[in-house]
Amino acid sequence: MTNGLNDMLRLAAEAPTVDLFALWLPYLALWGFLLLCSLLVYVLNGIFVSKIFVKTGAEGWPAWLPIYNSWRLLEIGGQAGWLALLALVPGAGIVTVVFLVIAVNNINRGFGKTGGWTVLYIFLPLVWGAYLAYGRTEPWRAPAPADSWAPPSPPYPPQPTQSI
């Protein structure tokens, strides 16, 4: 009995050892690289959107808050800001994306840019932000507010009718 146990212990001692650090090093390097890239994108996006907010006459600090920057972008683009909260609901985030694209299109038109700038935002948002923030634009012309689609209210007070 002890001979079998000795054989098992000898085989276990002779088994090749695995260096866990060498095994995990590529994964740690990859995740570190992705973290640095994400941080760089976050900082650049914050700088560019902050400058765009200032060019529209709004404060720049909301560009650094993840959900609130979408809220403000929607409001500046003439959409309802609360639509940014739909990004937190699984499956409903597509609604936020659609209205963000509409808001960005309105912002582009407010700066005198064409629809091609909206396509640039869809595919290369950092490039869009850099050009809009630091490029030449026309003076800001704000789009109509989000509730401007409501039908006009009747004149108040009612105008007297003339009898013939």
Side-chain angles (χ1 to χ4, degrees), residues 71-120:
W71 185 297
R72 292 297 298 147
L73 201 63
L74 284 164
E75 286 182 342
I76 291 170
Q79 304 299 315
W82 63 266
L83 290 168
L85 297 177
L86 291 178
L88 301 173
V89 179
I94 189 70
V95 175
T96 302
V97 170
V98 168
F99 279 98
L100 270 173
V101 169
I102 295 170
V104 165
N105 188 48
N106 291 340
I107 290 171
N108 289 335
R109 287 190 293 149
F111 281 120
K113 302 295 183 187
T114 62
W117 285 77
T118 306
V119 175
L120 183 65

mmCIF file of all heavy atoms in Angstrom, residues 71-120:
data_model
loop_
_atom_site.group_PDB
_atom_site.id
_atom_site.type_symbol
_atom_site.label_atom_id
_atom_site.label_comp_id
_atom_site.label_asym_id
_atom_site.label_seq_id
_atom_site.Cartn_x
_atom_site.Cartn_y
_atom_site.Cartn_z
ATOM 1 N N TRP A 71 -27.942 63.039 -22.400
ATOM 2 C CA TRP A 71 -29.132 63.839 -22.080
ATOM 3 C C TRP A 71 -28.967 65.248 -22.647
ATOM 4 O O TRP A 71 -29.860 65.764 -23.319
ATOM 5 C CB TRP A 71 -29.309 63.881 -20.561
ATOM 6 C CG TRP A 71 -30.547 64.560 -20.075
ATOM 7 C CD1 TRP A 71 -30.899 65.866 -20.238
ATOM 8 C CD2 TRP A 71 -31.603 63.960 -19.330
ATOM 9 N NE1 TRP A 71 -32.099 66.123 -19.634
ATOM 10 C CE2 TRP A 71 -32.548 64.972 -19.066
ATOM 11 C CE3 TRP A 71 -31.823 62.684 -18.846
ATOM 12 C CZ2 TRP A 71 -33.704 64.729 -18.339
ATOM 13 C CZ3 TRP A 71 -32.986 62.461 -18.122
ATOM 14 C CH2 TRP A 71 -33.909 63.458 -17.883
ATOM 15 N N ARG A 72 -27.829 65.889 -22.361
ATOM 16 C CA ARG A 72 -27.598 67.255 -22.831
ATOM 17 C C ARG A 72 -27.465 67.318 -24.353
ATOM 18 O O ARG A 72 -27.926 68.260 -24.977
ATOM 19 C CB ARG A 72 -26.336 67.844 -22.180
ATOM 20 C CG ARG A 72 -26.470 68.095 -20.702
ATOM 21 C CD ARG A 72 -27.514 69.123 -20.363
ATOM 22 N NE ARG A 72 -27.127 70.391 -20.948
ATOM 23 C CZ ARG A 72 -27.976 71.303 -21.396
ATOM 24 N NH1 ARG A 72 -29.261 71.084 -21.339
ATOM 25 N NH2 ARG A 72 -27.550 72.419 -21.922
ATOM 26 N N LEU A 73 -26.821 66.307 -24.945
ATOM 27 C CA LEU A 73 -26.690 66.265 -26.399
ATOM 28 C C LEU A 73 -28.066 66.175 -27.048
ATOM 29 O O LEU A 73 -28.336 66.844 -28.049
ATOM 30 C CB LEU A 73 -25.814 65.084 -26.812
ATOM 31 C CG LEU A 73 -25.167 65.130 -28.179
ATOM 32 C CD1 LEU A 73 -24.205 66.297 -28.271
ATOM 33 C CD2 LEU A 73 -24.427 63.836 -28.446
ATOM 34 N N LEU A 74 -28.944 65.374 -26.458
ATOM 35 C CA LEU A 74 -30.308 65.276 -26.977
ATOM 36 C C LEU A 74 -31.042 66.612 -26.836
ATOM 37 O O LEU A 74 -31.734 67.052 -27.761
ATOM 38 C CB LEU A 74 -31.080 64.176 -26.238
ATOM 39 C CG LEU A 74 -30.745 62.745 -26.631
ATOM 40 C CD1 LEU A 74 -31.254 61.765 -25.596
ATOM 41 C CD2 LEU A 74 -31.304 62.424 -27.992
ATOM 42 N N GLU A 75 -30.894 67.261 -25.684
ATOM 43 C CA GLU A 75 -31.583 68.542 -25.480
ATOM 44 C C GLU A 75 -31.049 69.629 -26.413
ATOM 45 O O GLU A 75 -31.829 70.397 -26.978
ATOM 46 C CB GLU A 75 -31.434 68.990 -24.023
ATOM 47 C CG GLU A 75 -32.286 68.212 -23.068
ATOM 48 C CD GLU A 75 -32.160 68.691 -21.639
ATOM 49 O OE1 GLU A 75 -31.186 69.399 -21.309
ATOM 50 O OE2 GLU A 75 -33.042 68.347 -20.848
ATOM 51 N N ILE A 76 -29.747 69.689 -26.591
ATOM 52 C CA ILE A 76 -29.176 70.697 -27.486
ATOM 53 C C ILE A 76 -29.615 70.426 -28.919
ATOM 54 O O ILE A 76 -29.838 71.356 -29.694
ATOM 55 C CB ILE A 76 -27.642 70.720 -27.363
ATOM 56 C CG1 ILE A 76 -27.259 71.281 -25.994
ATOM 57 C CG2 ILE A 76 -26.994 71.522 -28.466
ATOM 58 C CD1 ILE A 76 -25.794 71.145 -25.659
ATOM 59 N N GLY A 77 -29.783 69.153 -29.264
ATOM 60 C CA GLY A 77 -30.231 68.783 -30.602
ATOM 61 C C GLY A 77 -31.731 68.865 -30.799
ATOM 62 O O GLY A 77 -32.239 68.434 -31.829
ATOM 63 N N GLY A 78 -32.455 69.377 -29.803
ATOM 64 C CA GLY A 78 -33.886 69.580 -29.969
ATOM 65 C C GLY A 78 -34.740 68.365 -29.638
ATOM 66 O O GLY A 78 -35.917 68.332 -29.981
ATOM 67 N N GLN A 79 -34.183 67.371 -28.962
ATOM 68 C CA GLN A 79 -34.936 66.174 -28.588
ATOM 69 C C GLN A 79 -35.192 66.198 -27.080
ATOM 70 O O GLN A 79 -34.603 66.987 -26.350
ATOM 71 C CB GLN A 79 -34.156 64.905 -28.966
ATOM 72 C CG GLN A 79 -33.780 64.828 -30.422
ATOM 73 C CD GLN A 79 -34.988 64.811 -31.342
ATOM 74 O OE1 GLN A 79 -35.941 64.092 -31.086
ATOM 75 N NE2 GLN A 79 -34.956 65.593 -32.385
ATOM 76 N N ALA A 80 -36.047 65.309 -26.625
ATOM 77 C CA ALA A 80 -36.324 65.197 -25.189
ATOM 78 C C ALA A 80 -35.134 64.515 -24.514
ATOM 79 O O ALA A 80 -34.711 63.429 -24.915
ATOM 80 C CB ALA A 80 -37.596 64.403 -24.959
ATOM 81 N N GLY A 81 -34.600 65.135 -23.478
ATOM 82 C CA GLY A 81 -33.410 64.618 -22.820
ATOM 83 C C GLY A 81 -33.627 63.296 -22.108
ATOM 84 O O GLY A 81 -32.715 62.482 -21.998
ATOM 85 N N TRP A 82 -34.830 63.049 -21.609
ATOM 86 C CA TRP A 82 -35.093 61.824 -20.857
ATOM 87 C C TRP A 82 -34.914 60.568 -21.710
ATOM 88 O O TRP A 82 -34.794 59.461 -21.166
ATOM 89 C CB TRP A 82 -36.488 61.844 -20.242
ATOM 90 C CG TRP A 82 -37.603 61.895 -21.239
ATOM 91 C CD1 TRP A 82 -38.234 63.006 -21.709
ATOM 92 C CD2 TRP A 82 -38.200 60.789 -21.909
ATOM 93 N NE1 TRP A 82 -39.176 62.667 -22.633
ATOM 94 C CE2 TRP A 82 -39.187 61.298 -22.770
ATOM 95 C CE3 TRP A 82 -38.006 59.418 -21.870
ATOM 96 C CZ2 TRP A 82 -39.962 60.488 -23.577
ATOM 97 C CZ3 TRP A 82 -38.787 58.609 -22.677
ATOM 98 C CH2 TRP A 82 -39.755 59.150 -23.510
ATOM 99 N N LEU A 83 -34.877 60.727 -23.030
ATOM 100 C CA LEU A 83 -34.652 59.562 -23.893
ATOM 101 C C LEU A 83 -33.292 58.917 -23.639
ATOM 102 O O LEU A 83 -33.097 57.743 -23.955
ATOM 103 C CB LEU A 83 -34.774 59.970 -25.360
ATOM 104 C CG LEU A 83 -36.189 60.333 -25.824
ATOM 105 C CD1 LEU A 83 -36.135 61.000 -27.179
ATOM 106 C CD2 LEU A 83 -37.065 59.110 -25.843
ATOM 107 N N ALA A 84 -32.361 59.652 -23.034
ATOM 108 C CA ALA A 84 -31.051 59.085 -22.705
ATOM 109 C C ALA A 84 -31.181 57.983 -21.664
ATOM 110 O O ALA A 84 -30.367 57.058 -21.622
ATOM 111 C CB ALA A 84 -30.113 60.167 -22.204
ATOM 112 N N LEU A 85 -32.206 58.047 -20.829
ATOM 113 C CA LEU A 85 -32.408 57.019 -19.805
ATOM 114 C C LEU A 85 -32.796 55.677 -20.410
ATOM 115 O O LEU A 85 -32.617 54.639 -19.774
ATOM 116 C CB LEU A 85 -33.467 57.472 -18.803
ATOM 117 C CG LEU A 85 -33.113 58.722 -17.999
ATOM 118 C CD1 LEU A 85 -34.272 59.118 -17.098
ATOM 119 C CD2 LEU A 85 -31.845 58.500 -17.199
ATOM 120 N N LEU A 86 -33.320 55.685 -21.621
ATOM 121 C CA LEU A 86 -33.680 54.418 -22.264
ATOM 122 C C LEU A 86 -32.455 53.572 -22.582
ATOM 123 O O LEU A 86 -32.581 52.373 -22.803
ATOM 124 C CB LEU A 86 -34.491 54.679 -23.538
ATOM 125 C CG LEU A 86 -35.889 55.238 -23.319
ATOM 126 C CD1 LEU A 86 -36.555 55.505 -24.660
ATOM 127 C CD2 LEU A 86 -36.728 54.312 -22.483
ATOM 128 N N ALA A 87 -31.273 54.178 -22.585
ATOM 129 C CA ALA A 87 -30.051 53.407 -22.811
ATOM 130 C C ALA A 87 -29.808 52.428 -21.672
ATOM 131 O O ALA A 87 -29.086 51.446 -21.838
ATOM 132 C CB ALA A 87 -28.863 54.340 -22.966
ATOM 133 N N LEU A 88 -30.407 52.674 -20.515
ATOM 134 C CA LEU A 88 -30.241 51.790 -19.367
ATOM 135 C C LEU A 88 -31.187 50.597 -19.405
ATOM 136 O O LEU A 88 -31.017 49.659 -18.631
ATOM 137 C CB LEU A 88 -30.460 52.576 -18.074
ATOM 138 C CG LEU A 88 -29.521 53.772 -17.870
ATOM 139 C CD1 LEU A 88 -29.948 54.574 -16.655
ATOM 140 C CD2 LEU A 88 -28.098 53.310 -17.754
ATOM 141 N N VAL A 89 -32.190 50.640 -20.274
ATOM 142 C CA VAL A 89 -33.171 49.553 -20.378
ATOM 143 C C VAL A 89 -32.711 48.587 -21.462
ATOM 144 O O VAL A 89 -32.490 48.992 -22.604
ATOM 145 C CB VAL A 89 -34.569 50.120 -20.715
ATOM 146 C CG1 VAL A 89 -35.590 49.007 -20.861
ATOM 147 C CG2 VAL A 89 -35.000 51.133 -19.675
ATOM 148 N N PRO A 90 -32.572 47.294 -21.108
ATOM 149 C CA PRO A 90 -32.136 46.332 -22.128
ATOM 150 C C PRO A 90 -33.098 46.292 -23.314
ATOM 151 O O PRO A 90 -34.307 46.195 -23.147
ATOM 152 C CB PRO A 90 -32.137 44.995 -21.382
ATOM 153 C CG PRO A 90 -32.022 45.356 -19.943
ATOM 154 C CD PRO A 90 -32.721 46.678 -19.790
ATOM 155 N N GLY A 91 -32.558 46.397 -24.503
ATOM 156 C CA GLY A 91 -33.354 46.350 -25.720
ATOM 157 C C GLY A 91 -33.899 47.697 -26.159
ATOM 158 O O GLY A 91 -34.226 47.875 -27.321
ATOM 159 N N ALA A 92 -34.010 48.644 -25.239
ATOM 160 C CA ALA A 92 -34.558 49.958 -25.595
ATOM 161 C C ALA A 92 -33.456 50.957 -25.913
ATOM 162 O O ALA A 92 -33.747 52.088 -26.299
ATOM 163 C CB ALA A 92 -35.434 50.495 -24.462
ATOM 164 N N GLY A 93 -32.205 50.565 -25.780
ATOM 165 C CA GLY A 93 -31.099 51.459 -26.071
ATOM 166 C C GLY A 93 -31.057 51.898 -27.522
ATOM 167 O O GLY A 93 -30.530 52.962 -27.834
ATOM 168 N N ILE A 94 -31.636 51.098 -28.415
ATOM 169 C CA ILE A 94 -31.661 51.462 -29.828
ATOM 170 C C ILE A 94 -32.468 52.739 -30.036
ATOM 171 O O ILE A 94 -32.154 53.538 -30.925
ATOM 172 C CB ILE A 94 -32.196 50.292 -30.696
ATOM 173 C CG1 ILE A 94 -32.001 50.593 -32.179
ATOM 174 C CG2 ILE A 94 -33.636 49.986 -30.397
ATOM 175 C CD1 ILE A 94 -30.578 50.576 -32.620
ATOM 176 N N VAL A 95 -33.480 52.956 -29.202
ATOM 177 C CA VAL A 95 -34.277 54.187 -29.300
ATOM 178 C C VAL A 95 -33.388 55.387 -28.984
ATOM 179 O O VAL A 95 -33.439 56.406 -29.682
ATOM 180 C CB VAL A 95 -35.496 54.116 -28.347
ATOM 181 C CG1 VAL A 95 -36.258 55.420 -28.340
ATOM 182 C CG2 VAL A 95 -36.397 52.957 -28.717
ATOM 183 N N THR A 96 -32.562 55.250 -27.959
ATOM 184 C CA THR A 96 -31.644 56.332 -27.609
ATOM 185 C C THR A 96 -30.671 56.608 -28.750
ATOM 186 O O THR A 96 -30.408 57.762 -29.078
ATOM 187 C CB THR A 96 -30.864 55.973 -26.333
ATOM 188 O OG1 THR A 96 -31.786 55.725 -25.279
ATOM 189 C CG2 THR A 96 -29.935 57.088 -25.930
ATOM 190 N N VAL A 97 -30.170 55.549 -29.359
ATOM 191 C CA VAL A 97 -29.215 55.716 -30.459
ATOM 192 C C VAL A 97 -29.866 56.450 -31.626
ATOM 193 O O VAL A 97 -29.271 57.371 -32.202
ATOM 194 C CB VAL A 97 -28.654 54.343 -30.898
ATOM 195 C CG1 VAL A 97 -27.855 54.466 -32.176
ATOM 196 C CG2 VAL A 97 -27.819 53.730 -29.798
ATOM 197 N N VAL A 98 -31.092 56.069 -31.960
ATOM 198 C CA VAL A 98 -31.790 56.715 -33.084
ATOM 199 C C VAL A 98 -32.005 58.191 -32.800
ATOM 200 O O VAL A 98 -31.732 59.058 -33.646
ATOM 201 C CB VAL A 98 -33.122 55.994 -33.378
ATOM 202 C CG1 VAL A 98 -33.980 56.801 -34.328
ATOM 203 C CG2 VAL A 98 -32.866 54.604 -33.927
ATOM 204 N N PHE A 99 -32.465 58.517 -31.588
ATOM 205 C CA PHE A 99 -32.710 59.920 -31.274
ATOM 206 C C PHE A 99 -31.407 60.703 -31.106
ATOM 207 O O PHE A 99 -31.381 61.913 -31.369
ATOM 208 C CB PHE A 99 -33.608 60.055 -30.035
ATOM 209 C CG PHE A 99 -35.056 59.880 -30.361
ATOM 210 C CD1 PHE A 99 -35.686 58.660 -30.169
ATOM 211 C CD2 PHE A 99 -35.799 60.918 -30.889
ATOM 212 C CE1 PHE A 99 -37.024 58.487 -30.479
ATOM 213 C CE2 PHE A 99 -37.128 60.769 -31.211
ATOM 214 C CZ PHE A 99 -37.747 59.541 -31.010
ATOM 215 N N LEU A 100 -30.331 60.042 -30.686
ATOM 216 C CA LEU A 100 -29.035 60.721 -30.651
ATOM 217 C C LEU A 100 -28.569 61.081 -32.056
ATOM 218 O O LEU A 100 -28.034 62.169 -32.275
ATOM 219 C CB LEU A 100 -27.988 59.840 -29.970
ATOM 220 C CG LEU A 100 -27.834 59.994 -28.472
ATOM 221 C CD1 LEU A 100 -26.890 58.950 -27.917
ATOM 222 C CD2 LEU A 100 -27.365 61.380 -28.111
ATOM 223 N N VAL A 101 -28.789 60.189 -33.001
ATOM 224 C CA VAL A 101 -28.407 60.486 -34.391
ATOM 225 C C VAL A 101 -29.246 61.653 -34.924
ATOM 226 O O VAL A 101 -28.722 62.543 -35.602
ATOM 227 C CB VAL A 101 -28.540 59.226 -35.273
ATOM 228 C CG1 VAL A 101 -28.402 59.569 -36.741
ATOM 229 C CG2 VAL A 101 -27.510 58.188 -34.866
ATOM 230 N N ILE A 102 -30.534 61.675 -34.598
ATOM 231 C CA ILE A 102 -31.388 62.796 -35.013
ATOM 232 C C ILE A 102 -30.913 64.093 -34.366
ATOM 233 O O ILE A 102 -30.828 65.145 -35.022
ATOM 234 C CB ILE A 102 -32.869 62.512 -34.681
ATOM 235 C CG1 ILE A 102 -33.374 61.336 -35.509
ATOM 236 C CG2 ILE A 102 -33.726 63.748 -34.895
ATOM 237 C CD1 ILE A 102 -34.743 60.820 -35.080
ATOM 238 N N ALA A 103 -30.568 64.025 -33.069
ATOM 239 C CA ALA A 103 -30.085 65.218 -32.366
ATOM 240 C C ALA A 103 -28.762 65.706 -32.957
ATOM 241 O O ALA A 103 -28.557 66.913 -33.136
ATOM 242 C CB ALA A 103 -29.921 64.922 -30.880
ATOM 243 N N VAL A 104 -27.867 64.771 -33.274
ATOM 244 C CA VAL A 104 -26.590 65.158 -33.878
ATOM 245 C C VAL A 104 -26.816 65.778 -35.254
ATOM 246 O O VAL A 104 -26.140 66.744 -35.622
ATOM 247 C CB VAL A 104 -25.642 63.941 -33.943
ATOM 248 C CG1 VAL A 104 -24.480 64.192 -34.870
ATOM 249 C CG2 VAL A 104 -25.148 63.601 -32.560
ATOM 250 N N ASN A 105 -27.777 65.261 -36.002
ATOM 251 C CA ASN A 105 -28.108 65.867 -37.292
ATOM 252 C C ASN A 105 -28.591 67.303 -37.101
ATOM 253 O O ASN A 105 -28.203 68.203 -37.856
ATOM 254 C CB ASN A 105 -29.154 65.029 -38.028
ATOM 255 C CG ASN A 105 -29.384 65.522 -39.429
ATOM 256 O OD1 ASN A 105 -28.443 65.760 -40.175
ATOM 257 N ND2 ASN A 105 -30.644 65.681 -39.798
ATOM 258 N N ASN A 106 -29.422 67.530 -36.074
ATOM 259 C CA ASN A 106 -29.886 68.892 -35.796
ATOM 260 C C ASN A 106 -28.733 69.791 -35.350
ATOM 261 O O ASN A 106 -28.681 70.966 -35.706
ATOM 262 C CB ASN A 106 -30.976 68.868 -34.727
ATOM 263 C CG ASN A 106 -32.254 68.243 -35.227
ATOM 264 O OD1 ASN A 106 -32.488 68.153 -36.429
ATOM 265 N ND2 ASN A 106 -33.083 67.781 -34.314
ATOM 266 N N ILE A 107 -27.812 69.242 -34.562
ATOM 267 C CA ILE A 107 -26.646 70.021 -34.133
ATOM 268 C C ILE A 107 -25.785 70.369 -35.343
ATOM 269 O O ILE A 107 -25.313 71.507 -35.475
ATOM 270 C CB ILE A 107 -25.846 69.244 -33.068
ATOM 271 C CG1 ILE A 107 -26.642 69.194 -31.759
ATOM 272 C CG2 ILE A 107 -24.485 69.879 -32.836
ATOM 273 C CD1 ILE A 107 -26.059 68.280 -30.713
ATOM 274 N N ASN A 108 -25.593 69.408 -36.228
ATOM 275 C CA ASN A 108 -24.817 69.681 -37.441
ATOM 276 C C ASN A 108 -25.466 70.792 -38.260
ATOM 277 O O ASN A 108 -24.780 71.696 -38.753
ATOM 278 C CB ASN A 108 -24.686 68.418 -38.288
ATOM 279 C CG ASN A 108 -23.772 67.395 -37.653
ATOM 280 O OD1 ASN A 108 -22.901 67.728 -36.872
ATOM 281 N ND2 ASN A 108 -23.985 66.142 -37.994
ATOM 282 N N ARG A 109 -26.779 70.738 -38.425
ATOM 283 C CA ARG A 109 -27.471 71.796 -39.177
ATOM 284 C C ARG A 109 -27.384 73.128 -38.446
ATOM 285 O O ARG A 109 -27.317 74.180 -39.080
ATOM 286 C CB ARG A 109 -28.921 71.403 -39.431
ATOM 287 C CG ARG A 109 -29.027 70.317 -40.491
ATOM 288 C CD ARG A 109 -30.429 70.084 -40.943
ATOM 289 N NE ARG A 109 -31.204 69.517 -39.832
ATOM 290 C CZ ARG A 109 -32.496 69.726 -39.652
ATOM 291 N NH1 ARG A 109 -33.169 70.457 -40.487
ATOM 292 N NH2 ARG A 109 -33.113 69.172 -38.638
ATOM 293 N N GLY A 110 -27.388 73.082 -37.097
ATOM 294 C CA GLY A 110 -27.251 74.309 -36.315
ATOM 295 C C GLY A 110 -25.902 74.978 -36.520
ATOM 296 O O GLY A 110 -25.768 76.186 -36.374
ATOM 297 N N PHE A 111 -24.895 74.183 -36.864
ATOM 298 C CA PHE A 111 -23.571 74.728 -37.154
ATOM 299 C C PHE A 111 -23.349 74.924 -38.650
ATOM 300 O O PHE A 111 -22.244 75.249 -39.076
ATOM 301 C CB PHE A 111 -22.478 73.819 -36.602
ATOM 302 C CG PHE A 111 -22.246 73.983 -35.130
ATOM 303 C CD1 PHE A 111 -22.417 72.923 -34.269
ATOM 304 C CD2 PHE A 111 -21.849 75.200 -34.603
ATOM 305 C CE1 PHE A 111 -22.196 73.067 -32.911
ATOM 306 C CE2 PHE A 111 -21.627 75.356 -33.254
ATOM 307 C CZ PHE A 111 -21.802 74.291 -32.400
ATOM 308 N N GLY A 112 -24.380 74.709 -39.465
ATOM 309 C CA GLY A 112 -24.257 74.924 -40.901
ATOM 310 C C GLY A 112 -23.609 73.769 -41.641
ATOM 311 O O GLY A 112 -23.091 73.952 -42.739
ATOM 312 N N LYS A 113 -23.638 72.579 -41.075
ATOM 313 C CA LYS A 113 -23.046 71.404 -41.714
ATOM 314 C C LYS A 113 -24.134 70.583 -42.397
ATOM 315 O O LYS A 113 -25.312 70.717 -42.105
ATOM 316 C CB LYS A 113 -22.316 70.531 -40.678
ATOM 317 C CG LYS A 113 -21.228 71.254 -39.916
ATOM 318 C CD LYS A 113 -20.108 71.672 -40.822
ATOM 319 C CE LYS A 113 -18.989 72.338 -40.040
ATOM 320 N NZ LYS A 113 -17.978 72.893 -40.870
ATOM 321 N N THR A 114 -23.718 69.694 -43.289
ATOM 322 C CA THR A 114 -24.664 68.878 -44.054
ATOM 323 C C THR A 114 -24.885 67.525 -43.390
ATOM 324 O O THR A 114 -24.305 67.218 -42.350
ATOM 325 C CB THR A 114 -24.116 68.658 -45.478
ATOM 326 O OG1 THR A 114 -22.879 67.946 -45.385
ATOM 327 C CG2 THR A 114 -23.908 69.984 -46.197
ATOM 328 N N GLY A 115 -25.704 66.710 -44.032
ATOM 329 C CA GLY A 115 -25.996 65.378 -43.520
ATOM 330 C C GLY A 115 -24.808 64.440 -43.534
ATOM 331 O O GLY A 115 -24.791 63.436 -42.819
ATOM 332 N N GLY A 116 -23.807 64.742 -44.331
ATOM 333 C CA GLY A 116 -22.602 63.928 -44.345
ATOM 334 C C GLY A 116 -21.897 63.924 -42.995
ATOM 335 O O GLY A 116 -21.236 62.950 -42.624
ATOM 336 N N TRP A 117 -22.053 65.005 -42.253
ATOM 337 C CA TRP A 117 -21.459 65.067 -40.921
ATOM 338 C C TRP A 117 -22.159 64.110 -39.967
ATOM 339 O O TRP A 117 -21.541 63.597 -39.036
ATOM 340 C CB TRP A 117 -21.510 66.497 -40.405
ATOM 341 C CG TRP A 117 -20.487 67.355 -41.062
ATOM 342 C CD1 TRP A 117 -20.551 67.885 -42.319
ATOM 343 C CD2 TRP A 117 -19.244 67.743 -40.524
ATOM 344 N NE1 TRP A 117 -19.412 68.582 -42.587
ATOM 345 C CE2 TRP A 117 -18.592 68.522 -41.491
ATOM 346 C CE3 TRP A 117 -18.618 67.527 -39.314
ATOM 347 C CZ2 TRP A 117 -17.343 69.072 -41.278
ATOM 348 C CZ3 TRP A 117 -17.380 68.076 -39.101
ATOM 349 C CH2 TRP A 117 -16.754 68.844 -40.090
ATOM 350 N N THR A 118 -23.437 63.855 -40.197
ATOM 351 C CA THR A 118 -24.151 62.882 -39.378
ATOM 352 C C THR A 118 -23.636 61.482 -39.664
ATOM 353 O O THR A 118 -23.471 60.675 -38.744
ATOM 354 C CB THR A 118 -25.662 62.972 -39.647
ATOM 355 O OG1 THR A 118 -26.077 64.326 -39.443
ATOM 356 C CG2 THR A 118 -26.439 62.062 -38.730
ATOM 357 N N VAL A 119 -23.347 61.184 -40.925
ATOM 358 C CA VAL A 119 -22.768 59.890 -41.277
ATOM 359 C C VAL A 119 -21.383 59.758 -40.634
ATOM 360 O O VAL A 119 -21.017 58.682 -40.140
ATOM 361 C CB VAL A 119 -22.697 59.728 -42.809
ATOM 362 C CG1 VAL A 119 -21.994 58.448 -43.191
ATOM 363 C CG2 VAL A 119 -24.096 59.773 -43.403
ATOM 364 N N LEU A 120 -20.622 60.846 -40.611
ATOM 365 C CA LEU A 120 -19.326 60.836 -39.949
ATOM 366 C C LEU A 120 -19.483 60.526 -38.467
ATOM 367 O O LEU A 120 -18.701 59.761 -37.896
ATOM 368 C CB LEU A 120 -18.612 62.174 -40.142
ATOM 369 C CG LEU A 120 -17.214 62.302 -39.562
ATOM 370 C CD1 LEU A 120 -16.254 61.353 -40.263
ATOM 371 C CD2 LEU A 120 -16.725 63.731 -39.666
#
